[in-house]
Amino acid sequence: RDTLVSNLGSLVTAFGNLPNLTKTAANIEAYSQLRTQLLTDGTLDSLESTLQTMQSDIDGLPNATNIAAVADALLATVNKIDTTQIREVVANVTDILNSLPQTGAITTLLDEVIEFMEVVPCIKNLVDQLGNLNTTVIQLPSMFAEVVDMIEGVNDTVSSVRTQIDDASDS
């Protein structure tokens, strides 16, 4: 009898030292209920389909080597832009416009400037696209900001001249 009591006491002590598994059992039950619900309402099937679609989309993206080659070529092209010539053209146009006193002469010169400005939207479009690349793919050199400023200056100058001529013609 003493041996039995001793053995039972050891068992009670051993069981007393075990962790309380009530919380673990509750978590397992909650997981089981969630799994059953996800299987029942089709969420897991939908998730699998979504993941497969995402994987297909990812597989369709160009690899980084191709992107880097295009970005390097684009950067090389941007580095070749001679901003000095653009500045000289803008300065010359400004000087000419400031030196012409007659509306007729200004109108003729403005027509020449407008012809020149037909090229600017293409350049502006290129600059906008480069700006998008600058924020998403690569960091363009600081001279890129100078080019953007010059193009905006040309646009502002031509818009101002057009407004002045329109106002002078209306008077």
Side-chain angles (χ1 to χ4, degrees):
R1 174 181 191 289
D2 290 337
T3 304
L4 180 61
V5 170
S6 175
N7 287 342
L8 288 175
S10 295
L11 284 174
V12 167
T13 301
F15 279 118
N17 289 334
L18 289 175
N20 184 351
L21 298 178
T22 305
K23 186 172 182 178
T24 302
N27 286 340
I28 290 172
E29 177 61 26
Y31 168 76
S32 178
Q33 289 174 0
L34 178 61
R35 181 182 174 275
T36 301
Q37 178 184 352
L38 292 174
L39 286 171
T40 302
D41 67 13
T43 300
L44 288 180
D45 292 334
S46 173
L47 178 62
E48 180 181 2
S49 173
T50 300
L51 290 174
Q52 287 173 349
T53 301
M54 288 173 64
Q55 184 62 50
S56 295
D57 291 344
I58 289 170
D59 291 342
L61 292 174
N63 66 36
T65 305
N66 293 341
I67 292 173
V70 170
D72 288 343
L74 188 57
L75 184 58
T77 301
V78 168
N79 285 333
K80 290 179 186 176
I81 295 174
D82 184 4
T83 59
T84 305
Q85 291 175 344
I86 295 172
R87 288 176 193 235
E88 289 173 0
V89 168
V90 170
N92 289 339
V93 169
T94 302
D95 290 345
I96 291 170
L97 291 175
N98 289 336
S99 69
L100 296 175
Q102 300 174 13
T103 303
I106 292 175
T107 303
T108 302
L109 181 59
L110 184 59
D111 289 341
E112 293 174 12
V113 171
I114 289 170
E115 287 177 19
F116 167 77
M117 289 304 297
E118 289 176 5
V119 177
V120 173
C122 294
I123 295 172
K124 176 132 178 45
N125 187 26
L126 173 65
V127 169
D128 290 344
Q129 291 177 10
L130 291 175
N132 290 336
L133 282 174
N134 192 34
T135 59
T136 59
V137 179
I138 58 173
Q139 178 87 30
L140 295 176
S142 60
M143 74 169 227
F144 177 74
E146 292 178 26
V147 171
V148 170
D149 291 343
M150 283 187 282
I151 289 172
E152 289 173 355
V154 168
N155 284 334
D156 292 345
T157 300
V158 171
S159 293
S160 173
V161 170
R162 281 182 175 171
T163 301
Q164 291 175 14
I165 289 175
D166 289 342
D167 290 348
S169 298
D170 292 340
S171 329

